[in-house]
Coordinates of all heavy atoms in Angstrom, one line a residue:
M1 N -1.5 -12.0 -9.6 CA -1.0 -12.9 -10.6 C -1.9 -12.9 -11.8 O -1.3 -12.9 -12.9 CB -0.9 -14.3 -10.0 CG -0.4 -15.3 -10.9 SD 1.3 -15.4 -11.3 CE 1.9 -16.1 -9.9
T2 N -3.2 -12.9 -11.6 CA -4.1 -13.0 -12.8 C -3.9 -11.7 -13.7 O -4.0 -11.9 -14.9 CB -5.5 -13.2 -12.4 OG1 -5.9 -12.1 -11.5 CG2 -5.7 -14.5 -11.7
S3 N -3.7 -10.6 -13.1 CA -3.5 -9.4 -13.9 C -2.2 -9.5 -14.7 O -2.2 -9.1 -15.9 CB -3.5 -8.1 -13.0 OG -4.7 -7.9 -12.5
A4 N -1.2 -10.0 -14.1 CA 0.1 -10.1 -14.8 C -0.1 -11.0 -16.0 O 0.4 -10.8 -17.1 CB 1.2 -10.6 -13.9
V5 N -0.7 -12.2 -15.8 CA -0.9 -13.1 -16.9 C -1.8 -12.5 -17.9 O -1.5 -12.6 -19.1 CB -1.5 -14.4 -16.3 CG1 -2.0 -15.3 -17.5 CG2 -0.5 -15.2 -15.4
Y6 N -2.9 -11.8 -17.5 CA -3.8 -11.3 -18.5 C -3.1 -10.2 -19.4 O -3.2 -10.2 -20.6 CB -5.0 -10.6 -17.8 CG -5.9 -9.9 -18.8 CD1 -6.9 -10.6 -19.5 CD2 -5.9 -8.5 -18.9 CE1 -7.7 -10.0 -20.5 CE2 -6.7 -7.9 -19.9 CZ -7.6 -8.6 -20.6 OH -8.4 -7.9 -21.5
Y7 N -2.5 -9.2 -18.7 CA -1.9 -8.1 -19.4 C -0.7 -8.4 -20.2 O -0.4 -7.8 -21.2 CB -1.7 -6.9 -18.5 CG -3.0 -6.2 -18.1 CD1 -3.6 -6.3 -16.9 CD2 -3.7 -5.4 -19.0 CE1 -4.7 -5.7 -16.5 CE2 -4.8 -4.7 -18.7 CZ -5.4 -4.9 -17.4 OH -6.5 -4.3 -17.1
E8 N 0.1 -9.4 -19.7 CA 1.4 -9.7 -20.3 C 1.2 -10.8 -21.4 O 2.0 -10.9 -22.3 CB 2.4 -10.1 -19.3 CG 2.8 -9.0 -18.3 CD 3.5 -7.8 -19.0 OE1 4.4 -8.1 -19.9 OE2 3.2 -6.7 -18.7
A9 N 0.2 -11.7 -21.2 CA 0.1 -12.9 -22.1 C -1.3 -13.3 -22.4 O -1.5 -14.4 -22.8 CB 0.9 -14.0 -21.5
G10 N -2.3 -12.4 -22.2 CA -3.7 -12.7 -22.5 C -4.0 -13.2 -23.9 O -4.9 -14.0 -24.1
Q11 N -3.2 -12.8 -24.8 CA -3.4 -13.2 -26.2 C -2.5 -14.4 -26.6 O -2.5 -14.8 -27.7 CB -3.1 -12.1 -27.2 CG -4.2 -11.0 -27.0 CD -5.5 -11.4 -27.5 OE1 -5.7 -12.0 -28.6 NE2 -6.5 -11.3 -26.6
E12 N -1.7 -14.9 -25.7 CA -0.7 -15.9 -25.9 C -1.4 -17.3 -25.7 O -2.5 -17.4 -25.1 CB 0.5 -15.8 -25.0 CG 1.2 -14.5 -25.2 CD 1.8 -14.3 -26.6 OE1 2.2 -15.3 -27.2 OE2 1.8 -13.2 -27.1
S13 N -0.7 -18.3 -26.0 CA -1.1 -19.7 -25.8 C -1.1 -19.9 -24.3 O -0.5 -19.2 -23.5 CB -0.2 -20.7 -26.4 OG 1.1 -20.6 -25.8
L14 N -1.7 -21.1 -23.8 CA -1.6 -21.4 -22.4 C -0.2 -21.6 -22.0 O 0.2 -21.1 -20.8 CB -2.4 -22.8 -22.2 CG -2.5 -23.2 -20.8 CD1 -3.2 -22.1 -19.9 CD2 -3.3 -24.5 -20.7
D15 N 0.7 -22.1 -22.8 CA 2.1 -22.1 -22.4 C 2.7 -20.7 -22.2 O 3.5 -20.6 -21.3 CB 2.9 -22.9 -23.5 CG 2.7 -24.4 -23.5 OD1 2.2 -24.9 -22.5 OD2 3.0 -25.0 -24.6
G16 N 2.3 -19.8 -23.0 CA 2.8 -18.4 -22.8 C 2.3 -17.8 -21.5 O 3.0 -17.1 -20.8
Q17 N 1.0 -18.1 -21.2 CA 0.5 -17.6 -20.0 C 1.2 -18.3 -18.8 O 1.5 -17.6 -17.8 CB -1.0 -17.9 -19.9 CG -1.8 -17.1 -21.0 CD -3.2 -17.5 -21.1 OE1 -3.8 -18.2 -20.3 NE2 -3.8 -17.2 -22.3
R18 N 1.4 -19.6 -18.9 CA 2.1 -20.3 -17.8 C 3.5 -19.7 -17.6 O 4.0 -19.6 -16.5 CB 2.2 -21.7 -18.1 CG 0.9 -22.5 -17.9 CD 1.1 -23.9 -18.2 NE -0.1 -24.7 -18.0 CZ -0.5 -25.7 -18.6 NH1 0.3 -26.2 -19.6 NH2 -1.7 -26.3 -18.4
A19 N 4.2 -19.3 -18.7 CA 5.5 -18.8 -18.6 C 5.6 -17.5 -17.8 O 6.5 -17.3 -17.0 CB 6.1 -18.5 -20.0
V20 N 4.6 -16.6 -18.0 CA 4.5 -15.4 -17.3 C 4.3 -15.7 -15.8 O 5.0 -15.1 -14.9 CB 3.4 -14.5 -17.8 CG1 3.1 -13.3 -16.8 CG2 3.7 -13.9 -19.2
A21 N 3.4 -16.6 -15.5 CA 3.2 -17.0 -14.1 C 4.5 -17.6 -13.5 O 4.8 -17.3 -12.3 CB 2.1 -18.0 -14.0
Q22 N 5.2 -18.4 -14.2 CA 6.4 -19.0 -13.7 C 7.5 -17.9 -13.5 O 8.2 -18.0 -12.5 CB 6.9 -20.0 -14.7 CG 8.0 -20.9 -14.1 CD 7.6 -21.7 -12.9 OE1 6.6 -22.4 -13.0 NE2 8.2 -21.5 -11.8
V23 N 7.6 -16.9 -14.3 CA 8.5 -15.8 -14.1 C 8.2 -15.2 -12.8 O 9.1 -14.9 -12.0 CB 8.5 -14.8 -15.2 CG1 9.2 -13.5 -14.9 CG2 9.1 -15.4 -16.5
V24 N 7.0 -14.9 -12.5 CA 6.6 -14.2 -11.3 C 7.0 -15.1 -10.1 O 7.6 -14.6 -9.1 CB 5.1 -13.9 -11.2 CG1 4.7 -13.4 -9.8 CG2 4.7 -12.9 -12.3
L25 N 6.6 -16.4 -10.1 CA 7.0 -17.3 -9.0 C 8.5 -17.4 -8.8 O 9.0 -17.5 -7.7 CB 6.3 -18.6 -9.3 CG 4.8 -18.6 -9.2 CD1 4.2 -20.0 -9.6 CD2 4.3 -18.2 -7.9
N26 N 9.2 -17.5 -9.9 CA 10.7 -17.6 -9.8 C 11.2 -16.4 -9.1 O 12.2 -16.5 -8.3 CB 11.3 -17.8 -11.2 CG 11.1 -19.1 -11.8 OD1 10.6 -20.1 -11.2 ND2 11.3 -19.2 -13.1
R27 N 10.7 -15.2 -9.4 CA 11.2 -14.0 -8.8 C 10.8 -13.9 -7.3 O 11.6 -13.5 -6.5 CB 10.7 -12.8 -9.5 CG 11.3 -12.6 -10.9 CD 10.8 -11.4 -11.7 NE 11.4 -11.3 -13.0 CZ 11.2 -10.3 -13.8 NH1 10.3 -9.4 -13.5 NH2 11.8 -10.3 -15.0
V28 N 9.6 -14.4 -7.0 CA 9.2 -14.5 -5.6 C 10.2 -15.3 -4.8 O 10.6 -14.9 -3.6 CB 7.8 -15.0 -5.4 CG1 7.5 -15.4 -4.0 CG2 6.8 -14.1 -5.9
R29 N 10.7 -16.3 -5.3 CA 11.7 -17.2 -4.7 C 13.1 -16.7 -4.6 O 13.9 -17.2 -3.8 CB 11.7 -18.6 -5.3 CG 10.4 -19.3 -5.2 CD 10.4 -20.7 -5.8 NE 9.1 -21.3 -5.9 CZ 8.4 -21.5 -7.0 NH1 9.0 -21.3 -8.2 NH2 7.2 -22.0 -6.9
H30 N 13.4 -15.7 -5.5 CA 14.8 -15.2 -5.6 C 15.0 -14.1 -4.6 O 14.1 -13.2 -4.5 CB 15.1 -14.7 -7.0 CG 16.5 -14.5 -7.3 ND1 17.1 -13.4 -6.8 CD2 17.4 -15.3 -7.9 CE1 18.4 -13.4 -7.2 NE2 18.6 -14.6 -7.9
P31 N 16.1 -14.0 -3.8 CA 16.3 -13.0 -2.8 C 16.4 -11.6 -3.4 O 16.3 -10.6 -2.6 CB 17.5 -13.4 -2.1 CG 18.2 -14.4 -3.0 CD 17.2 -15.0 -3.8
A32 N 16.7 -11.4 -4.6 CA 16.9 -10.1 -5.2 C 15.5 -9.4 -5.5 O 15.5 -8.2 -5.8 CB 17.7 -10.2 -6.5
F33 N 14.4 -10.1 -5.4 CA 13.1 -9.6 -5.7 C 12.2 -9.6 -4.4 O 12.5 -10.3 -3.5 CB 12.4 -10.4 -6.8 CG 13.1 -10.3 -8.1 CD1 14.1 -11.2 -8.5 CD2 12.8 -9.2 -9.0 CE1 14.8 -11.1 -9.7 CE2 13.4 -9.1 -10.2 CZ 14.4 -10.0 -10.6
P34 N 11.1 -8.9 -4.4 CA 10.2 -9.0 -3.3 C 9.7 -10.4 -3.0 O 9.7 -11.2 -3.9 CB 9.0 -8.1 -3.7 CG 9.6 -7.1 -4.7 CD 10.7 -7.9 -5.4
A35 N 9.4 -10.7 -1.8 CA 9.0 -12.0 -1.4 C 7.6 -12.4 -1.6 O 7.1 -13.4 -1.0 CB 9.4 -12.2 0.1
N36 N 6.8 -11.6 -2.3 CA 5.4 -12.0 -2.5 C 5.0 -11.6 -4.0 O 5.7 -10.8 -4.6 CB 4.5 -11.3 -1.5 CG 4.6 -9.8 -1.6 OD1 4.1 -9.2 -2.5 ND2 5.1 -9.2 -0.5
V37 N 3.9 -12.2 -4.5 CA 3.5 -12.0 -5.8 C 3.2 -10.5 -6.2 O 3.7 -10.0 -7.1 CB 2.3 -12.9 -6.2 CG1 1.7 -12.5 -7.5 CG2 2.7 -14.4 -6.1
C38 N 2.4 -9.9 -5.3 CA 2.1 -8.4 -5.6 C 3.4 -7.6 -5.6 O 3.5 -6.7 -6.4 CB 1.1 -7.9 -4.6 SG -0.5 -8.6 -4.8
G39 N 4.3 -7.9 -4.7 CA 5.5 -7.1 -4.7 C 6.3 -7.3 -5.9 O 6.9 -6.3 -6.5
V40 N 6.4 -8.5 -6.5 CA 7.1 -8.7 -7.7 C 6.4 -8.0 -8.9 O 7.0 -7.3 -9.7 CB 7.2 -10.2 -8.0 CG1 7.7 -10.5 -9.4 CG2 8.2 -10.9 -7.0
V41 N 5.1 -8.2 -9.0 CA 4.3 -7.7 -10.1 C 4.4 -6.2 -10.2 O 4.6 -5.6 -11.3 CB 2.9 -8.2 -10.1 CG1 2.0 -7.5 -11.1 CG2 2.8 -9.7 -10.3
Y42 N 4.2 -5.5 -9.0 CA 4.2 -4.1 -9.0 C 5.5 -3.4 -8.7 O 5.5 -2.2 -8.6 CB 3.1 -3.6 -8.1 CG 1.7 -4.0 -8.6 CD1 1.1 -5.2 -8.1 CD2 1.1 -3.3 -9.6 CE1 -0.2 -5.6 -8.6 CE2 -0.2 -3.7 -10.1 CZ -0.8 -4.8 -9.6 OH -2.0 -5.2 -10.1
E43 N 6.6 -4.2 -8.6 CA 7.9 -3.6 -8.3 C 8.2 -2.5 -9.4 O 8.2 -2.8 -10.6 CB 9.0 -4.6 -8.3 CG 10.3 -4.0 -7.9 CD 11.4 -5.1 -7.8 OE1 11.3 -6.1 -8.5 OE2 12.3 -4.9 -7.0
G44 N 8.6 -1.3 -8.9 CA 9.0 -0.3 -9.9 C 7.8 0.6 -10.4 O 8.1 1.5 -11.1
S45 N 6.6 0.2 -10.1 CA 5.5 1.0 -10.7 C 5.4 2.4 -10.2 O 4.8 3.2 -10.8 CB 4.2 0.3 -10.4 OG 3.9 0.2 -9.0
T46 N 6.1 2.7 -9.1 CA 6.1 4.1 -8.6 C 7.4 4.8 -8.9 O 7.6 6.0 -8.6 CB 5.9 4.1 -7.1 OG1 7.0 3.3 -6.5 CG2 4.6 3.5 -6.7
R47 N 8.3 4.2 -9.6 CA 9.6 4.8 -10.0 C 9.6 5.2 -11.4 O 8.9 4.6 -12.3 CB 10.7 3.8 -9.9 CG 11.0 3.3 -8.5 CD 12.3 2.5 -8.4 NE 12.4 1.5 -9.5 CZ 12.5 0.2 -9.3 NH1 12.7 -0.3 -8.1 NH2 12.6 -0.6 -10.3
A48 N 10.3 6.3 -11.7 CA 10.4 6.8 -13.1 C 11.3 5.9 -13.9 O 11.3 6.0 -15.1 CB 10.9 8.2 -13.1
T49 N 12.1 5.0 -13.3 CA 13.1 4.2 -14.0 C 12.5 2.9 -14.6 O 13.2 2.2 -15.3 CB 14.3 3.8 -13.1 OG1 13.7 3.2 -11.9 CG2 15.0 5.1 -12.6
G50 N 11.3 2.6 -14.3 CA 10.7 1.5 -15.0 C 10.1 0.5 -14.1 O 10.2 0.5 -12.9
C51 N 9.4 -0.5 -14.7 CA 8.6 -1.5 -14.0 C 9.1 -2.9 -14.4 O 9.7 -3.1 -15.5 CB 7.2 -1.4 -14.5 SG 6.4 0.2 -14.2
Q52 N 8.8 -3.8 -13.6 CA 9.1 -5.2 -13.9 C 8.1 -5.7 -15.0 O 8.5 -6.5 -15.9 CB 9.0 -6.1 -12.6 CG 10.1 -5.8 -11.6 CD 11.4 -6.2 -12.1 OE1 11.7 -7.1 -12.8 NE2 12.4 -5.3 -11.8
F53 N 6.9 -5.3 -14.9 CA 5.9 -5.7 -15.8 C 5.2 -4.4 -16.4 O 4.7 -3.5 -15.7 CB 4.8 -6.5 -15.2 CG 5.3 -7.9 -14.8 CD1 5.9 -8.1 -13.5 CD2 5.3 -8.9 -15.7 CE1 6.4 -9.3 -13.2 CE2 5.9 -10.2 -15.4 CZ 6.4 -10.4 -14.1
T54 N 5.3 -4.2 -17.7 CA 4.9 -3.0 -18.4 C 3.5 -2.5 -18.0 O 3.3 -1.3 -17.8 CB 5.0 -3.2 -19.9 OG1 6.3 -3.7 -20.2 CG2 4.7 -1.9 -20.7
F55 N 2.6 -3.4 -17.9 CA 1.2 -3.0 -17.6 C 1.0 -2.2 -16.4 O 0.0 -1.5 -16.2 CB 0.2 -4.2 -17.7 CG 0.2 -5.0 -16.4 CD1 -0.7 -4.8 -15.4 CD2 1.1 -6.1 -16.2 CE1 -0.7 -5.5 -14.2 CE2 1.1 -6.8 -15.1 CZ 0.2 -6.5 -14.1
T56 N 1.9 -2.3 -15.4 CA 1.8 -1.6 -14.2 C 2.2 -0.1 -14.3 O 2.0 0.7 -13.4 CB 2.6 -2.2 -13.0 OG1 4.0 -2.2 -13.3 CG2 2.2 -3.7 -12.8
C57 N 2.8 0.2 -15.5 CA 3.3 1.6 -15.7 C 2.7 2.3 -16.9 O 2.8 3.5 -17.0 CB 4.8 1.6 -15.8 SG 5.7 1.3 -14.3
D58 N 2.2 1.5 -17.9 CA 1.9 2.1 -19.1 C 0.4 2.6 -19.3 O -0.1 3.0 -20.3 CB 2.2 1.2 -20.3 CG 1.3 0.0 -20.4 OD1 0.4 -0.2 -19.5 OD2 1.5 -0.8 -21.3
G59 N -0.3 2.5 -18.1 CA -1.7 3.0 -18.2 C -2.7 1.9 -18.5 O -3.9 2.1 -18.5
S60 N -2.3 0.7 -18.7 CA -3.2 -0.4 -19.0 C -4.2 -0.7 -17.9 O -5.4 -1.0 -18.2 CB -2.4 -1.7 -19.3 OG -1.7 -1.6 -20.5
L61 N -3.8 -0.6 -16.7 CA -4.7 -0.8 -15.6 C -5.8 0.2 -15.5 O -6.9 -0.1 -15.1 CB -3.9 -0.8 -14.3 CG -3.1 -2.1 -14.0 CD1 -2.2 -1.9 -12.8 CD2 -3.9 -3.3 -13.9
M62 N -5.5 1.5 -15.9 CA -6.5 2.5 -15.9 C -7.5 2.3 -17.0 O -8.7 2.7 -16.9 CB -5.8 3.9 -16.1 CG -4.8 4.2 -15.0 SD -5.6 4.3 -13.4 CE -5.9 6.0 -13.4
R63 N -7.1 1.7 -18.1 CA -8.0 1.4 -19.2 C -8.9 0.2 -19.0 O -10.0 0.1 -19.5 CB -7.2 1.2 -20.5 CG -6.6 2.5 -21.1 CD -6.0 2.3 -22.4 NE -4.9 1.3 -22.5 CZ -3.7 1.6 -22.2 NH1 -3.3 2.8 -22.0 NH2 -2.7 0.7 -22.3
G64 N -8.4 -0.7 -18.1 CA -9.2 -1.9 -17.8 C -9.0 -3.0 -18.9 O -8.2 -2.8 -19.8
R65 N -9.7 -4.0 -18.7 CA -9.6 -5.2 -19.6 C -10.5 -4.9 -20.9 O -11.5 -4.4 -20.8 CB -10.0 -6.5 -18.9 CG -9.0 -6.8 -17.9 CD -9.4 -8.1 -17.2 NE -8.4 -8.4 -16.2 CZ -8.4 -9.5 -15.5 NH1 -9.4 -10.4 -15.6 NH2 -7.4 -9.8 -14.7
S66 N -10.0 -5.4 -22.0 CA -10.7 -5.2 -23.2 C -11.8 -6.3 -23.4 O -11.6 -7.4 -23.1 CB -9.7 -5.3 -24.4 OG -10.4 -5.4 -25.6
L67 N -12.9 -5.8 -23.8 CA -14.0 -6.8 -24.1 C -13.7 -7.7 -25.3 O -14.2 -8.8 -25.4 CB -15.3 -6.1 -24.4 CG -15.9 -5.3 -23.2 CD1 -17.2 -4.5 -23.6 CD2 -16.2 -6.2 -22.0
V68 N -12.8 -7.2 -26.2 CA -12.4 -8.0 -27.3 C -11.6 -9.2 -26.8 O -11.7 -10.3 -27.3 CB -11.6 -7.2 -28.3 CG1 -11.0 -8.0 -29.4 CG2 -12.4 -6.1 -28.9
H69 N -10.8 -9.0 -25.8 CA -9.9 -10.0 -25.2 C -10.7 -10.9 -24.2 O -10.1 -11.9 -23.8 CB -8.7 -9.4 -24.6 CG -7.9 -8.7 -25.5 ND1 -7.6 -7.3 -25.4 CD2 -7.2 -9.0 -26.6 CE1 -6.8 -6.9 -26.4 NE2 -6.6 -7.9 -27.1
G70 N -11.9 -10.5 -23.8 CA -12.5 -11.3 -22.8 C -12.2 -10.8 -21.4 O -11.5 -9.8 -21.3
T71 N -12.6 -11.5 -20.4 CA -12.3 -11.1 -19.1 C -11.2 -11.8 -18.4 O -10.7 -11.4 -17.4 CB -13.6 -11.2 -18.2 OG1 -14.0 -12.6 -18.2 CG2 -14.7 -10.3 -18.6
A72 N -10.8 -12.9 -19.0 CA -9.7 -13.7 -18.4 C -9.2 -14.7 -19.5 O -9.9 -15.1 -20.4 CB -10.1 -14.5 -17.2
P73 N -8.0 -15.1 -19.4 CA -7.5 -16.1 -20.3 C -8.3 -17.4 -20.1 O -8.7 -17.8 -19.0 CB -6.0 -16.4 -19.8 CG -5.7 -15.1 -19.0 CD -6.9 -14.6 -18.4
R74 N -8.6 -18.0 -21.2 CA -9.3 -19.3 -21.2 C -8.4 -20.5 -21.1 O -7.4 -20.5 -21.8 CB -10.2 -19.4 -22.5 CG -11.2 -18.4 -22.6 CD -12.1 -18.7 -23.9 NE -13.0 -17.6 -24.1 CZ -13.4 -17.3 -25.3 NH1 -13.1 -18.1 -26.3 NH2 -14.3 -16.3 -25.4
P75 N -8.7 -21.4 -20.3 CA -7.9 -22.6 -20.2 C -8.1 -23.4 -21.5 O -9.2 -23.4 -22.1 CB -8.4 -23.4 -19.0 CG -9.8 -22.9 -18.8 CD -9.8 -21.5 -19.3
S76 N -7.1 -24.1 -22.0 CA -7.3 -24.9 -23.2 C -7.5 -26.4 -22.7 O -7.1 -26.7 -21.6 CB -6.0 -24.8 -24.1 OG -4.9 -25.2 -23.4
P77 N -8.0 -27.2 -23.6 CA -8.3 -28.6 -23.2 C -7.0 -29.3 -22.8 O -5.9 -29.0 -23.4 CB -8.9 -29.2 -24.4 CG -9.3 -28.1 -25.3 CD -8.4 -26.9 -24.9
R78 N -7.1 -30.2 -21.8 CA -5.9 -31.0 -21.4 C -5.6 -32.0 -22.5 O -6.4 -32.6 -23.1 CB -6.2 -31.7 -20.1 CG -6.4 -30.8 -19.0 CD -6.6 -31.6 -17.7 NE -5.7 -31.1 -16.8 CZ -5.4 -31.6 -15.7 NH1 -5.9 -32.7 -15.3 NH2 -4.5 -31.1 -14.9
R79 N -4.3 -32.2 -22.6 CA -3.8 -33.2 -23.5 C -3.6 -34.5 -22.8 O -3.2 -34.5 -21.6 CB -2.5 -32.8 -24.1 CG -2.6 -31.7 -25.0 CD -1.2 -31.4 -25.6 NE -1.2 -29.9 -25.9 CZ -0.1 -29.3 -26.1 NH1 1.0 -29.8 -26.0 NH2 -0.2 -28.0 -26.4
H80 N -4.0 -35.6 -23.4 CA -3.8 -36.9 -22.7 C -2.7 -37.7 -23.3 O -2.3 -37.7 -24.4 CB -5.1 -37.7 -22.8 CG -6.2 -37.1 -22.0 ND1 -6.3 -37.2 -20.7 CD2 -7.2 -36.3 -22.4 CE1 -7.3 -36.5 -20.2 NE2 -7.9 -35.9 -21.3

């Protein structure tokens, strides 16, 4: 899950990062998708027809995380 959030929305707002996580969780709950987070995130990564999440097919994982982007999305302060 953290890789999906990082590679798909690491430069987005906290809301954008939450949206990616929610998409993954929604798919886990849907019978048309694999029943676990890793299955959803990496679905299609071995097929020539495409991936559910681009970073699993475009070589991003081989390059690793960018030092410019940090090592993980940072939480933003809570609103009261």
Side-chain angles (χ1 to χ4, degrees):
M1 176 76 78
T2 57
S3 291
V5 171
Y6 175 81
Y7 285 105
E8 296 294 321
Q11 292 294 309
E12 301 297 325
S13 67
L14 185 57
D15 286 341
Q17 294 170 20
R18 285 182 180 149
V20 170
Q22 192 62 57
V23 165
V24 173
L25 294 175
N26 290 346
R27 289 179 180 182
V28 167
R29 292 182 192 113
H30 195 280
F33 293 93
N36 60 67
V37 169
C38 287
V40 167
V41 170
Y42 293 97
E43 182 177 30
S45 63
T46 59
R47 294 189 314 236
T49 57
C51 304
Q52 293 295 320
F53 292 91
T54 306
F55 78 94
T56 65
C57 288
D58 71 357
S60 293
L61 289 172
M62 299 299 265
R63 289 188 296 273
R65 294 180 175 183
S66 170
L67 294 176
V68 173
H69 296 119
T71 57
R74 293 184 190 156
S76 59
R78 295 184 125 190
R79 293 183 207 159
H80 295 281

